[in-house]
Amino acid sequence: MQYRLKYDPAAEAVHEAMPPEPSEALTLALAAACSDPIGATRPYGEDDGVIRMLVTEAAFAVLLVGDTLQTVTVLQISYYG
């Protein structure tokens, strides 16, 4: 089942400011997370299935998985490329 992607405005600004290659890698990873939020991400702290992290070669994202509304919300992105 496909989840809908949402962004915190600050996280979206970081993603938009990233260089093209790391941005594309993060976009593809987020697309995978929308298809399989648990399988495409890692636990963030305690594995509660709600707060997850997504790691690419140049970025780290903290996600909130909402099963009820079928959303993946990007709470924070750290670019370290």
PDB file of all heavy atoms in Angstrom, residues 1-3 5-6 9 14 16-18 21 23 27 33 35-36 44 48-49 56-57 62 64-65 69 76 78:
ATOM      1  N   MET A   1       0.846  -1.175   0.000  1.00  0.00           N
ATOM      2  CA  MET A   1       0.000   0.000   0.000  1.00  0.00           C
ATOM      3  C   MET A   1       0.900   1.250   0.000  1.00  0.00           C
ATOM      4  O   MET A   1       1.865   1.315   0.741  1.00  0.00           O
ATOM      5  CB  MET A   1      -0.881  -0.034   1.242  1.00  0.00           C
ATOM      6  CG  MET A   1      -1.954   1.017   1.208  1.00  0.00           C
ATOM      7  SD  MET A   1      -3.176   0.813   2.502  1.00  0.00           S
ATOM      8  CE  MET A   1      -3.908  -0.732   2.019  1.00  0.00           C
ATOM      9  N   GLN A   2       0.581   2.195  -0.804  1.00  0.00           N
ATOM     10  CA  GLN A   2       1.386   3.409  -0.948  1.00  0.00           C
ATOM     11  C   GLN A   2       1.007   4.448   0.122  1.00  0.00           C
ATOM     12  O   GLN A   2      -0.165   4.749   0.304  1.00  0.00           O
ATOM     13  CB  GLN A   2       1.161   4.001  -2.346  1.00  0.00           C
ATOM     14  CG  GLN A   2       2.105   5.098  -2.710  1.00  0.00           C
ATOM     15  CD  GLN A   2       3.522   4.610  -2.953  1.00  0.00           C
ATOM     16  OE1 GLN A   2       3.783   3.454  -3.139  1.00  0.00           O
ATOM     17  NE2 GLN A   2       4.446   5.527  -2.954  1.00  0.00           N
ATOM     18  N   TYR A   3       2.016   4.965   0.803  1.00  0.00           N
ATOM     19  CA  TYR A   3       1.823   6.016   1.788  1.00  0.00           C
ATOM     20  C   TYR A   3       2.061   7.366   1.113  1.00  0.00           C
ATOM     21  O   TYR A   3       2.801   7.462   0.146  1.00  0.00           O
ATOM     22  CB  TYR A   3       2.805   5.852   2.947  1.00  0.00           C
ATOM     23  CG  TYR A   3       2.418   4.785   3.943  1.00  0.00           C
ATOM     24  CD1 TYR A   3       2.267   3.453   3.565  1.00  0.00           C
ATOM     25  CD2 TYR A   3       2.211   5.103   5.273  1.00  0.00           C
ATOM     26  CE1 TYR A   3       1.921   2.483   4.469  1.00  0.00           C
ATOM     27  CE2 TYR A   3       1.865   4.137   6.201  1.00  0.00           C
ATOM     28  CZ  TYR A   3       1.714   2.824   5.792  1.00  0.00           C
ATOM     29  OH  TYR A   3       1.368   1.863   6.707  1.00  0.00           O
ATOM     30  N   LEU A   5       3.596  11.148   1.098  1.00  0.00           N
ATOM     31  CA  LEU A   5       4.741  11.837   1.683  1.00  0.00           C
ATOM     32  C   LEU A   5       4.355  13.253   2.086  1.00  0.00           C
ATOM     33  O   LEU A   5       3.712  13.977   1.323  1.00  0.00           O
ATOM     34  CB  LEU A   5       5.891  11.877   0.681  1.00  0.00           C
ATOM     35  CG  LEU A   5       7.206  12.461   1.173  1.00  0.00           C
ATOM     36  CD1 LEU A   5       7.801  11.593   2.280  1.00  0.00           C
ATOM     37  CD2 LEU A   5       8.180  12.597   0.021  1.00  0.00           C
ATOM     38  N   LYS A   6       4.749  13.625   3.294  1.00  0.00           N
ATOM     39  CA  LYS A   6       4.550  14.986   3.805  1.00  0.00           C
ATOM     40  C   LYS A   6       5.886  15.479   4.344  1.00  0.00           C
ATOM     41  O   LYS A   6       6.734  14.677   4.701  1.00  0.00           O
ATOM     42  CB  LYS A   6       3.502  14.994   4.933  1.00  0.00           C
ATOM     43  CG  LYS A   6       2.115  14.599   4.490  1.00  0.00           C
ATOM     44  CD  LYS A   6       1.156  14.431   5.654  1.00  0.00           C
ATOM     45  CE  LYS A   6       1.082  15.659   6.512  1.00  0.00           C
ATOM     46  NZ  LYS A   6       0.130  15.564   7.605  1.00  0.00           N
ATOM     47  N   PRO A   9       8.175  21.960   7.026  1.00  0.00           N
ATOM     48  CA  PRO A   9       8.732  23.009   6.154  1.00  0.00           C
ATOM     49  C   PRO A   9      10.254  23.160   6.252  1.00  0.00           C
ATOM     50  O   PRO A   9      10.924  23.369   5.235  1.00  0.00           O
ATOM     51  CB  PRO A   9       8.018  24.280   6.612  1.00  0.00           C
ATOM     52  CG  PRO A   9       6.729  23.793   7.194  1.00  0.00           C
ATOM     53  CD  PRO A   9       7.054  22.458   7.819  1.00  0.00           C
ATOM     54  N   VAL A  14      15.693  22.042   3.573  1.00  0.00           N
ATOM     55  CA  VAL A  14      17.000  21.386   3.519  1.00  0.00           C
ATOM     56  C   VAL A  14      17.083  20.510   2.272  1.00  0.00           C
ATOM     57  O   VAL A  14      18.076  20.536   1.540  1.00  0.00           O
ATOM     58  CB  VAL A  14      17.274  20.550   4.791  1.00  0.00           C
ATOM     59  CG1 VAL A  14      18.534  19.708   4.641  1.00  0.00           C
ATOM     60  CG2 VAL A  14      17.383  21.458   6.005  1.00  0.00           C
ATOM     61  N   GLU A  16      15.443  20.764  -0.543  1.00  0.00           N
ATOM     62  CA  GLU A  16      15.496  21.609  -1.738  1.00  0.00           C
ATOM     63  C   GLU A  16      16.865  22.262  -1.929  1.00  0.00           C
ATOM     64  O   GLU A  16      17.252  22.558  -3.054  1.00  0.00           O
ATOM     65  CB  GLU A  16      14.406  22.670  -1.684  1.00  0.00           C
ATOM     66  CG  GLU A  16      13.013  22.098  -1.888  1.00  0.00           C
ATOM     67  CD  GLU A  16      11.917  23.132  -1.733  1.00  0.00           C
ATOM     68  OE1 GLU A  16      12.207  24.294  -1.363  1.00  0.00           O
ATOM     69  OE2 GLU A  16      10.756  22.771  -1.978  1.00  0.00           O
ATOM     70  N   ALA A  17      17.598  22.477  -0.844  1.00  0.00           N
ATOM     71  CA  ALA A  17      18.905  23.138  -0.926  1.00  0.00           C
ATOM     72  C   ALA A  17      20.049  22.162  -1.205  1.00  0.00           C
ATOM     73  O   ALA A  17      21.165  22.595  -1.476  1.00  0.00           O
ATOM     74  CB  ALA A  17      19.183  23.890   0.382  1.00  0.00           C
ATOM     75  N   MET A  18      19.774  20.881  -1.159  1.00  0.00           N
ATOM     76  CA  MET A  18      20.824  19.891  -1.386  1.00  0.00           C
ATOM     77  C   MET A  18      21.259  19.882  -2.849  1.00  0.00           C
ATOM     78  O   MET A  18      20.454  20.174  -3.739  1.00  0.00           O
ATOM     79  CB  MET A  18      20.318  18.488  -0.993  1.00  0.00           C
ATOM     80  CG  MET A  18      20.140  18.301   0.491  1.00  0.00           C
ATOM     81  SD  MET A  18      19.307  16.754   0.945  1.00  0.00           S
ATOM     82  CE  MET A  18      20.395  15.525   0.243  1.00  0.00           C
ATOM     83  N   GLU A  21      22.688  15.345  -6.967  1.00  0.00           N
ATOM     84  CA  GLU A  21      22.891  13.898  -6.756  1.00  0.00           C
ATOM     85  C   GLU A  21      22.419  13.418  -5.385  1.00  0.00           C
ATOM     86  O   GLU A  21      21.667  12.446  -5.302  1.00  0.00           O
ATOM     87  CB  GLU A  21      24.348  13.520  -6.982  1.00  0.00           C
ATOM     88  CG  GLU A  21      24.698  13.374  -8.447  1.00  0.00           C
ATOM     89  CD  GLU A  21      26.097  12.814  -8.651  1.00  0.00           C
ATOM     90  OE1 GLU A  21      26.532  11.978  -7.829  1.00  0.00           O
ATOM     91  OE2 GLU A  21      26.742  13.224  -9.619  1.00  0.00           O
ATOM     92  N   SER A  23      20.313  14.859  -3.440  1.00  0.00           N
ATOM     93  CA  SER A  23      18.880  15.107  -3.384  1.00  0.00           C
ATOM     94  C   SER A  23      18.112  13.986  -4.076  1.00  0.00           C
ATOM     95  O   SER A  23      17.098  13.500  -3.576  1.00  0.00           O
ATOM     96  CB  SER A  23      18.547  16.460  -4.023  1.00  0.00           C
ATOM     97  OG  SER A  23      17.154  16.656  -4.034  1.00  0.00           O
ATOM     98  N   THR A  27      15.462  11.419  -2.525  1.00  0.00           N
ATOM     99  CA  THR A  27      14.128  11.319  -3.117  1.00  0.00           C
ATOM    100  C   THR A  27      13.778   9.861  -3.412  1.00  0.00           C
ATOM    101  O   THR A  27      12.659   9.406  -3.117  1.00  0.00           O
ATOM    102  CB  THR A  27      14.042  12.158  -4.404  1.00  0.00           C
ATOM    103  OG1 THR A  27      14.257  13.528  -4.058  1.00  0.00           O
ATOM    104  CG2 THR A  27      12.692  12.012  -5.086  1.00  0.00           C
ATOM    105  N   ALA A  33      10.428   4.406   0.944  1.00  0.00           N
ATOM    106  CA  ALA A  33       9.786   4.446   2.268  1.00  0.00           C
ATOM    107  C   ALA A  33       8.277   4.595   2.147  1.00  0.00           C
ATOM    108  O   ALA A  33       7.540   4.101   2.991  1.00  0.00           O
ATOM    109  CB  ALA A  33      10.373   5.572   3.108  1.00  0.00           C
ATOM    110  N   SER A  35       6.517   3.246  -0.175  1.00  0.00           N
ATOM    111  CA  SER A  35       6.014   1.934  -0.583  1.00  0.00           C
ATOM    112  C   SER A  35       6.079   0.919   0.549  1.00  0.00           C
ATOM    113  O   SER A  35       5.208   0.063   0.678  1.00  0.00           O
ATOM    114  CB  SER A  35       6.829   1.404  -1.765  1.00  0.00           C
ATOM    115  OG  SER A  35       6.627   2.203  -2.893  1.00  0.00           O
ATOM    116  N   ASP A  36       7.132   1.016   1.371  1.00  0.00           N
ATOM    117  CA  ASP A  36       7.340   0.075   2.478  1.00  0.00           C
ATOM    118  C   ASP A  36       8.012   0.819   3.634  1.00  0.00           C
ATOM    119  O   ASP A  36       9.236   0.753   3.781  1.00  0.00           O
ATOM    120  CB  ASP A  36       8.202  -1.090   2.013  1.00  0.00           C
ATOM    121  CG  ASP A  36       8.407  -2.149   3.085  1.00  0.00           C
ATOM    122  OD1 ASP A  36       7.781  -2.059   4.170  1.00  0.00           O
ATOM    123  OD2 ASP A  36       9.211  -3.068   2.843  1.00  0.00           O
ATOM    124  N   TYR A  44      14.444   4.328  14.866  1.00  0.00           N
ATOM    125  CA  TYR A  44      15.079   5.506  15.460  1.00  0.00           C
ATOM    126  C   TYR A  44      14.906   5.380  16.961  1.00  0.00           C
ATOM    127  O   TYR A  44      13.833   5.620  17.494  1.00  0.00           O
ATOM    128  CB  TYR A  44      14.425   6.783  14.930  1.00  0.00           C
ATOM    129  CG  TYR A  44      15.089   8.058  15.411  1.00  0.00           C
ATOM    130  CD1 TYR A  44      16.266   8.497  14.843  1.00  0.00           C
ATOM    131  CD2 TYR A  44      14.522   8.824  16.426  1.00  0.00           C
ATOM    132  CE1 TYR A  44      16.871   9.670  15.256  1.00  0.00           C
ATOM    133  CE2 TYR A  44      15.122   9.991  16.851  1.00  0.00           C
ATOM    134  CZ  TYR A  44      16.288  10.419  16.272  1.00  0.00           C
ATOM    135  OH  TYR A  44      16.898  11.587  16.689  1.00  0.00           O
ATOM    136  N   ASP A  48       9.464   1.400  17.633  1.00  0.00           N
ATOM    137  CA  ASP A  48       8.026   1.495  17.872  1.00  0.00           C
ATOM    138  C   ASP A  48       7.227   1.455  16.577  1.00  0.00           C
ATOM    139  O   ASP A  48       6.000   1.505  16.596  1.00  0.00           O
ATOM    140  CB  ASP A  48       7.693   2.761  18.661  1.00  0.00           C
ATOM    141  CG  ASP A  48       8.128   4.030  17.956  1.00  0.00           C
ATOM    142  OD1 ASP A  48       8.594   3.967  16.802  1.00  0.00           O
ATOM    143  OD2 ASP A  48       8.013   5.109  18.570  1.00  0.00           O
ATOM    144  N   GLY A  49       7.918   1.382  15.421  1.00  0.00           N
ATOM    145  CA  GLY A  49       7.245   1.347  14.134  1.00  0.00           C
ATOM    146  C   GLY A  49       6.653   2.682  13.727  1.00  0.00           C
ATOM    147  O   GLY A  49       5.972   2.773  12.718  1.00  0.00           O
ATOM    148  N   THR A  56      21.000   7.779   3.741  1.00  0.00           N
ATOM    149  CA  THR A  56      21.619   7.649   2.426  1.00  0.00           C
ATOM    150  C   THR A  56      23.095   7.966   2.590  1.00  0.00           C
ATOM    151  O   THR A  56      23.558   8.274   3.689  1.00  0.00           O
ATOM    152  CB  THR A  56      20.982   8.600   1.394  1.00  0.00           C
ATOM    153  OG1 THR A  56      21.272   9.943   1.746  1.00  0.00           O
ATOM    154  CG2 THR A  56      19.478   8.388   1.297  1.00  0.00           C
ATOM    155  N   GLU A  57      23.832   7.935   1.504  1.00  0.00           N
ATOM    156  CA  GLU A  57      25.264   8.200   1.572  1.00  0.00           C
ATOM    157  C   GLU A  57      25.569   9.606   2.080  1.00  0.00           C
ATOM    158  O   GLU A  57      26.588   9.831   2.725  1.00  0.00           O
ATOM    159  CB  GLU A  57      25.879   8.002   0.189  1.00  0.00           C
ATOM    160  CG  GLU A  57      27.387   8.034   0.184  1.00  0.00           C
ATOM    161  CD  GLU A  57      27.951   7.663  -1.165  1.00  0.00           C
ATOM    162  OE1 GLU A  57      27.581   6.604  -1.687  1.00  0.00           O
ATOM    163  OE2 GLU A  57      28.757   8.458  -1.680  1.00  0.00           O
ATOM    164  N   VAL A  62      14.715  11.857   9.585  1.00  0.00           N
ATOM    165  CA  VAL A  62      13.872  11.311  10.637  1.00  0.00           C
ATOM    166  C   VAL A  62      12.438  11.371  10.123  1.00  0.00           C
ATOM    167  O   VAL A  62      11.974  12.430   9.680  1.00  0.00           O
ATOM    168  CB  VAL A  62      14.011  12.099  11.955  1.00  0.00           C
ATOM    169  CG1 VAL A  62      13.087  11.521  13.019  1.00  0.00           C
ATOM    170  CG2 VAL A  62      15.447  12.092  12.434  1.00  0.00           C
ATOM    171  N   LEU A  64       8.192  10.177  10.474  1.00  0.00           N
ATOM    172  CA  LEU A  64       7.051   9.777  11.300  1.00  0.00           C
ATOM    173  C   LEU A  64       6.115   8.987  10.404  1.00  0.00           C
ATOM    174  O   LEU A  64       5.621   9.512   9.397  1.00  0.00           O
ATOM    175  CB  LEU A  64       6.340  11.008  11.853  1.00  0.00           C
ATOM    176  CG  LEU A  64       5.022  10.781  12.592  1.00  0.00           C
ATOM    177  CD1 LEU A  64       5.266  10.019  13.884  1.00  0.00           C
ATOM    178  CD2 LEU A  64       4.341  12.104  12.874  1.00  0.00           C
ATOM    179  N   VAL A  65       5.892   7.717  10.736  1.00  0.00           N
ATOM    180  CA  VAL A  65       5.018   6.861   9.938  1.00  0.00           C
ATOM    181  C   VAL A  65       3.636   6.864  10.570  1.00  0.00           C
ATOM    182  O   VAL A  65       3.471   6.482  11.729  1.00  0.00           O
ATOM    183  CB  VAL A  65       5.578   5.422   9.861  1.00  0.00           C
ATOM    184  CG1 VAL A  65       4.633   4.521   9.083  1.00  0.00           C
ATOM    185  CG2 VAL A  65       6.963   5.428   9.237  1.00  0.00           C
ATOM    186  N   LEU A  69      -3.520   7.385   8.736  1.00  0.00           N
ATOM    187  CA  LEU A  69      -3.737   8.233   7.560  1.00  0.00           C
ATOM    188  C   LEU A  69      -2.843   7.852   6.392  1.00  0.00           C
ATOM    189  O   LEU A  69      -2.857   8.518   5.363  1.00  0.00           O
ATOM    190  CB  LEU A  69      -3.514   9.706   7.928  1.00  0.00           C
ATOM    191  CG  LEU A  69      -4.466  10.269   8.976  1.00  0.00           C
ATOM    192  CD1 LEU A  69      -4.094  11.698   9.321  1.00  0.00           C
ATOM    193  CD2 LEU A  69      -5.901  10.197   8.482  1.00  0.00           C
ATOM    194  N   GLN A  76      12.821  15.799   9.886  1.00  0.00           N
ATOM    195  CA  GLN A  76      14.136  16.441   9.891  1.00  0.00           C
ATOM    196  C   GLN A  76      15.022  15.795   8.847  1.00  0.00           C
ATOM    197  O   GLN A  76      14.964  14.580   8.637  1.00  0.00           O
ATOM    198  CB  GLN A  76      14.783  16.289  11.266  1.00  0.00           C
ATOM    199  CG  GLN A  76      16.168  16.846  11.370  1.00  0.00           C
ATOM    200  CD  GLN A  76      16.774  16.585  12.751  1.00  0.00           C
ATOM    201  OE1 GLN A  76      16.098  16.170  13.673  1.00  0.00           O
ATOM    202  NE2 GLN A  76      18.050  16.840  12.867  1.00  0.00           N
ATOM    203  N   SER A  78      19.191  15.920   7.753  1.00  0.00           N
ATOM    204  CA  SER A  78      20.554  16.412   7.976  1.00  0.00           C
ATOM    205  C   SER A  78      21.364  16.003   6.758  1.00  0.00           C
ATOM    206  O   SER A  78      21.473  14.824   6.447  1.00  0.00           O
ATOM    207  CB  SER A  78      21.161  15.800   9.233  1.00  0.00           C
ATOM    208  OG  SER A  78      20.432  16.196  10.366  1.00  0.00           O
TER     209      SER A  78
END
